[in-house]
Amino acid sequence: MWNAPKVGILGGGQLGRMLVESANRLNIQANVLDADNSPAKQISFHDGHVTGSFKEREAVRQLAKSCDVITAEIEHVDTYALEEVASQVRVEPSWQAIRTIQNKFDQKEHLRKYGIPMADHRELVKNTPEELAEIGEQLGFPMMLKSKTMAYDGRGNYRVNSKADIPAALEALKDRPLYSEKWAYFKMELAVMVIKTKDDVLSYPTVETVQEDSVCKLVYAPARNVSDTINEKAQALARKAVSAFEGKGAFGVEMFLLEDDSLMLCEIASRIHNSGHYTIEGCGLSQFDSHLRAILDLPIPAKSLEIRQPSIMLNLIGGSTTDSHLQAAEHALSIPNASIHLYSKGAAKPGRKMGHVTVTAPTMHEAETIIQPLVEVVDNIRA
Ligand code: ATP
Ligand code: MG
Ligand code: MG
């Protein structure tokens, strides 16, 4: 039996909260570093939590003192603090992996060395209209201007349709370190959760993600109308990409499936990921269970990563009023096999992820039929 390990988590948002749910079931104490009333702390009563931010060096030091291993629910953490405490406590995945991944440009430069296919991209060094116009000539229009750092839910992306958009794009992303990406004409977006253990790189099946305004809206597991070959290829690409980084735990890999059925990596997250929420109901071990097991060197039977029943996950995103997401949750109460997850983040802001619902059914078609009315409710409450 394992020796009651204590796991430190940088960040207590919804991902940390679902990680705590998994930890609770294994009698593992999770010490969360975040504000006092953060979603993860609300479901975990003990005196090991730390009040502060995952960006504060002193707070990370304090967390390190009370844990056997430290992990993060977010990549935008102080990796210099993690580097410092790595001599006292295990940090999983490695601070090097988090540091490279948290900068999307560095992430891509690193992955390029491993032959991972990606959209062609160029770094901006001056952030001037002339420089971006020159890059536009090289990459063509449209192109996606992206912040290298602190990007999430598309906040950090700007679609530059033509030269005329350049001033607005630079204004929208001003004062941020930037790079620009060639437009990827994808027919579908795919994602794979990869679990890196002490001696293995495992993957969950390939799922289909649907983004609306650059925010994940729906996840279909497994991906619909995707051949076994593509499903396998996407998993192999995801495992290869994650193998380029040191450390254990869950990594979310986002990909584009292009018209010619080739795959391109969109980005990697060094953590549990929205595209893997379906695993809670859909698989024997959820991504949160697997992440904990991976960082604690506990067994992960490969069979437990298979999909037990087709699943669809729908995000409940802050809508037109502060409680409109609750209307959707209320509607979901009457849907068979719908599991509702509310994150207890308080008042919603438009675009903020407030919860999600997963529906499982014997066939994907059935799951689609069951969830359709809820998708309509969610569409109606949009801000
Ligand atoms: P996340 O919340 O997943 O971390 P993010 O802010 O890091 O999002 P990306 O994942 O880079 O942003 O992009 C968000 C979405 O924008 C993608 O899922 C895709 O729909 C679209 N997108 C990104 N890059 C490109 C591209 N080069 N060509 C076309 N569409 C793109
Ligand atoms: Mg991202
Ligand atoms: Mg993304």
Side-chain angles (χ1 to χ4, degrees):
M1 199 58 195
W2 64 89
N3 186 24
K6 291 200 174 92
V7 173
I9 309 174
L10 274 68
Q14 70 266 25
L15 297 168
R17 178 175 168 107
M18 289 183 268
L19 200 54
V20 168
E21 287 174 357
S22 283
N24 284 346
R25 282 190 277 107
L26 288 186
N27 279 358
I28 292 169
Q29 181 174 321
N31 295 340
V32 176
L33 164 54
D34 209 329
D36 277 339
N37 197 35
S38 63
K41 288 186 182 177
Q42 292 173 30
I43 60 161
S44 174
F45 182 72
H46 57 73
D47 56 11
H49 297 306
V50 176
T51 306
S53 158
F54 41 77
K55 291 185 177 164
E56 278 168 37
R57 190 122 349 148
E58 193 46 46
V60 176
R61 284 187 190 127
Q62 202 188 324
L63 183 74
K65 284 187 199 142
S66 63
C67 300
D68 299 290
V69 54
I70 281 190
T71 189
E73 64 142 20
I74 180 169
E75 59 270 36
H76 308 301
V77 297
D78 179 355
T79 61
Y80 293 89
L82 290 178
E83 179 177 2
E84 183 190 308
V85 300
S87 53
Q88 305 151 233
V89 61
R90 287 186 287 130
V91 176
E92 302 292 357
S94 67
W95 56 265
Q96 292 96 330
I98 300 174
R99 186 175 297 167
T100 305
I101 285 173
Q102 71 181 190
N103 181 314
K104 289 164 105 172
F105 182 75
D106 291 350
Q107 177 192 135
K108 287 186 173 157
E109 289 301 288
H110 180 74
L111 287 169
R112 197 214 293 269
K113 294 185 228 146
Y114 293 81
I116 303 296
M118 286 169 291
D120 197 6
H121 52 271
R122 299 278 186 285
E123 181 177 27
L124 275 78
V125 286
K126 295 185 289 218
N127 288 15
T128 58
E130 296 72 30
E131 182 183 36
L132 190 54
E134 168 69 28
I135 290 174
E137 295 289 316
Q138 294 167 15
L139 299 178
F141 294 99
M143 62 179 172
M144 192 70 102
L145 184 64
K146 294 190 174 186
S147 173
K148 292 180 182 174
T149 57
M150 300 302 294
Y152 70 99
D153 290 347
R155 296 173 209 189
N157 286 1
Y158 196 101
R159 179 181 166 142
V160 187
N161 287 316
S162 70
K163 229 177 143 176
D165 286 345
I166 287 178
L170 289 173
E171 176 60 26
L173 298 176
K174 71 166 182 271
D175 301 328
R176 300 178 74 167
L178 302 176
Y179 75 105
S180 196
E181 251 177 48
K182 194 177 170 78
W183 197 258
Y185 290 94
F186 55 81
K187 60 177 174 186
M188 200 187 263
E189 290 192 80
L190 301 176
V192 170
M193 286 309 305
V194 174
I195 306 294
K196 208 153 166 285
T197 67
K198 66 178 190 311
D199 37 34
D200 241 331
V201 183
L202 308 168
S203 51
Y204 283 92
T206 303
V207 303
E208 172 187 351
T209 66
V210 177
Q211 274 53 241
E212 210 168 74
D213 300 332
S214 281
V215 184
C216 175
K217 178 185 185 187
L218 283 155
V219 173
Y220 295 86
R224 298 170 302 173
N225 308 315
V226 160
S227 67
D228 290 349
T229 313
I230 291 173
N231 191 317
E232 292 294 331
K233 266 195 196 162
Q235 289 186 59
L237 174 61
R239 289 193 303 262
K240 184 175 171 186
V242 169
S243 301
F245 297 97
E246 288 295 319
K248 294 176 263 193
F251 292 76
V253 182
E254 302 172 11
M255 284 163 280
F256 301 130
L257 179 66
L258 306 182
E259 288 298 335
D260 64 357
D261 277 351
S262 63
L263 291 161
M264 233 181 212
L265 184 124
C266 170
E267 64 163 344
I268 294 185
S270 53
R271 54 169 168 80
I272 41 205
H273 192 258
N274 196 172
S275 69
H277 291 355
Y278 79 91
T279 58
I280 298 174
E281 290 81 16
C283 304
L285 285 177
S286 76
Q287 59 165 344
F288 306 98
D289 299 332
S290 295
H291 179 71
L292 280 175
R293 289 184 184 210
I295 66 175
L296 293 169
D297 295 336
L298 299 172
I300 301 175
K303 185 96 192 140
S304 304
L305 306 191
E306 290 174 9
I307 294 176
R308 295 197 284 208
Q309 271 207 328
S311 312
I312 303 176
M313 191 258 2
L314 173 68
N315 274 333
L316 303 180
I317 292 175
S320 46
T321 62
T322 52
D323 63 353
S324 52
H325 60 286
L326 296 176
Q327 287 169 33
E330 212 164 335
H331 185 96
L333 287 170
S334 308
I335 295 180
N337 281 332
S339 299
I340 305 169
H341 299 253
L342 290 173
Y343 305 149
S344 195
K345 286 173 153 181
K349 292 191 197 107
R352 194 170 186 214
K353 289 174 181 164
M354 302 305 291
H356 75 267
V357 175
T358 299
V359 167
T360 61
T363 64
M364 182 58 87
H365 180 70
E366 244 174 276
E368 286 175 292
T369 309
I370 293 171
I371 205 164
Q372 187 49 37
L374 185 61
V375 176
E376 283 162 27
V377 172
V378 162
D379 286 341
N380 286 333
I381 62 164
R382 278 192 68 192

